Amino acid sequence: MRNVHQHHRRSAVYTEELNTALKSLQYKLKHMEQVKDEFEKTLQHIKNQADHTERQIKHDFERLHQFLRDEEEATITALREEEEQKKQMMKEKLEEMNTHISALSHTIKDTEEMLKANDVCFLKEFPVSMERVQISQPDPQTPSRALIHVSRYLGNLLFRLWKKMQDIVHYTPVILDPNTANPRLVLSDDLTTVRFTGKDQPVPDNPERFDYYECVLGSEGFTSGKHCWDVEVKESRCWSLGVTTASNQRRGWVFFRTGVWGVQYGCTVRSDFHVNQDLECVRVDLDCDRGTVSFSDPVTNTHLHTFTTTFTESVFPFFYSLMSSLRILPFSR
């Protein structure tokens, strides 16, 4: 009887252990299915990223192609206009020459006839005939600047196009990294503007992405040298910007606790310096070697704040935008 009770107790224990193990496996299966679903969404997002990037590449190249087509047409038009002008000038010179040749031919013919006549009338008209012969002798020569100014069109052609191309292309010193942007942020196609939207975008929850603060990082980290960028903030009522360490935690709410050197306006996030005045633009001057991050107002050339530290790792530009938008301005030559 005792053995039966022991057997039942062991069976109950085994059953409980199996149930626990089963629940653990079921939970693990559910979790893996969720992860699989995330992986499938990530796979689709990669395809969407590639398609969108390809469209943007084609759009940008088409702008350059159109610029080159327009410049080619304008240059050839100018060449043909000069050709017509030079040809017209030479035609006029030819007509003038034909008139002279015709007049000269008549003079020669008249003179030959006078010589054949050989009478008193010839002697009487000799002085007039000599004057006529001498006057009708043109001095033919090719006019100056009659040829096409070839070097004007071919000289440094590609260089001149490249220089002119700078009027339609711009260099932006900092480009945003869309893979770090909080889901509530939307970036412009050229990755220079970040805009807050109250709706989560369908983006993967990858480890590089901010999931709590409405932040996005620059695409390139800096480890040495001087770097400068201007950020338009006039459309923003709540912003923070500056630099942060590459290892700073982007997940959760601890980002602003350490490893951040920035200024802010209208926000409650922790930052070392608050801007009270309304600004149109903020300039960030980073000197990695000296360990300084300076902020100023480039419109009024007013210094705002400078941090002095020692950078032990690469730092990335960061941008926090709540209920508004920020734009990194192109470098002005």
Side-chain angles (χ1 to χ4, degrees):
M1 193 73 179
R2 183 177 171 185
N3 290 335
V4 172
H5 286 306
Q6 288 177 343
H7 175 74
H8 282 306
R9 279 198 299 271
R10 281 198 300 270
S11 295
V13 170
Y14 293 156
T15 301
E16 186 176 347
E17 287 178 355
L18 279 172
N19 279 328
T20 301
L22 178 62
K23 286 179 181 178
S24 176
L25 289 172
Q26 288 172 336
Y27 174 81
K28 188 173 184 179
L29 176 63
K30 185 178 180 180
H31 176 69
M32 289 182 70
E33 286 174 342
Q34 290 174 339
V35 172
K36 177 191 171 186
D37 186 52
E38 284 298 317
F39 281 11
E40 288 174 345
K41 288 179 180 177
T42 301
L43 184 65
Q44 184 60 44
H45 185 73
I46 291 169
K47 184 181 184 307
N48 294 341
Q49 275 187 313
D51 292 344
H52 180 270
T53 302
E54 180 179 342
R55 286 193 299 272
Q56 191 61 32
I57 289 170
K58 288 183 175 179
H59 174 266
D60 288 346
F61 269 97
E62 177 55 30
R63 283 185 63 208
L64 294 180
H65 292 158
Q66 188 59 51
F67 167 81
L68 291 174
R69 285 193 293 265
D70 292 344
E71 286 299 313
E72 178 186 12
E73 182 180 350
T75 306
I76 291 176
T77 299
L79 169 63
R80 293 306 179 189
E81 286 175 354
E82 184 180 357
E83 178 193 14
E84 287 303 313
Q85 178 188 349
K86 296 295 173 67
K87 281 162 61 176
Q88 184 60 34
M89 183 179 71
M90 289 309 301
K91 285 176 182 178
E92 291 172 1
K93 292 291 183 183
L94 276 170
E95 289 176 7
E96 185 181 332
M97 188 61 67
N98 285 334
T99 302
H100 283 303
I101 289 172
S102 179
L104 185 57
S105 295
H106 285 302
T107 302
I108 290 171
K109 186 178 180 182
D110 292 345
T111 304
E112 288 173 345
E113 288 177 356
M114 287 180 191
L115 285 169
K116 286 178 184 178
N118 196 15
D119 56 16
V120 178
C121 293
F122 169 74
L123 296 172
K124 288 180 180 178
E125 295 178 9
F126 179 75
V128 178
S129 299
M130 281 300 296
E131 183 182 354
R132 183 181 170 192
V133 170
Q134 290 169 348
I135 289 174
S136 61
Q137 299 284 341
D139 185 16
Q141 62 178 9
T142 303
S144 60
R145 295 185 297 276
L147 303 180
I148 298 280
H149 197 336
V150 176
S151 59
R152 177 186 296 163
Y153 304 101
L154 299 184
N156 290 318
L157 175 59
L158 297 183
F159 177 78
R160 287 185 288 112
L161 284 175
W162 174 73
K163 290 285 286 183
K164 197 168 185 180
M165 197 179 290
Q166 294 181 54
D167 294 334
I168 68 162
V169 297
H170 305 284
Y171 171 73
T172 305
V174 170
I175 299 298
L176 302 174
D177 181 358
N179 297 334
T180 66
N182 182 283
R184 292 180 292 279
L185 298 178
V186 174
L187 306 187
S188 60
D189 286 336
D190 64 357
L191 304 179
T192 63
T193 300
V194 53
R195 179 174 57 85
F196 173 84
T197 175
K199 182 180 178 182
D200 280 3
Q201 304 303 302
V203 293
D205 188 27
N206 49 298
E208 303 87 359
R209 191 179 304 279
F210 286 91
D211 64 347
Y212 184 81
Y213 287 111
E214 289 79 3
C215 285
V216 60
L217 297 184
S219 60
E220 180 184 359
F222 304 119
T223 57
S224 62
K226 296 180 180 180
H227 309 274
C228 177
W229 58 96
D230 291 348
V231 186
E232 187 179 74
V233 297
K234 64 181 181 180
E235 300 296 329
S236 180
R237 299 184 303 276
C238 175
W239 54 265
S240 179
L241 58 92
V243 298
T244 184
T245 56
S247 62
N248 195 4
Q249 181 59 253
R250 303 170 200 176
R251 318 291 285 178
W253 48 271
V254 298
F255 173 73
F256 283 100
R257 285 195 167 189
T258 183
V260 171
W261 299 268
V263 296
Q264 64 168 267
Y265 172 84
C267 299
T268 56
V269 296
R270 182 184 180 276
S271 183
D272 291 307
F273 188 78
H274 291 257
V275 175
N276 296 319
Q277 64 269 42
D278 291 336
L279 299 173
E280 287 188 18
C281 185
V282 173
R283 174 166 294 167
V284 184
D285 280 292
L286 170 66
D287 190 331
C288 296
D289 302 325
R290 291 181 57 194
T292 60
V293 189
S294 294
F295 300 89
S296 61
D297 175 3
V299 177
T300 60
N301 199 25
T302 304
H303 175 258
L304 297 173
H305 189 72
T306 296
F307 295 99
T308 301
T309 183
T310 300
F311 297 118
T312 57
E313 59 178 303
S314 63
V315 291
F316 284 78
F318 83 88
F319 307 87
Y320 171 77
S321 179
L322 184 63
M323 305 299 291
S324 50
S325 65
L326 300 172
R327 183 167 77 101
I328 306 164
L329 298 178
F331 176 73
S332 56
R333 289 173 282 122

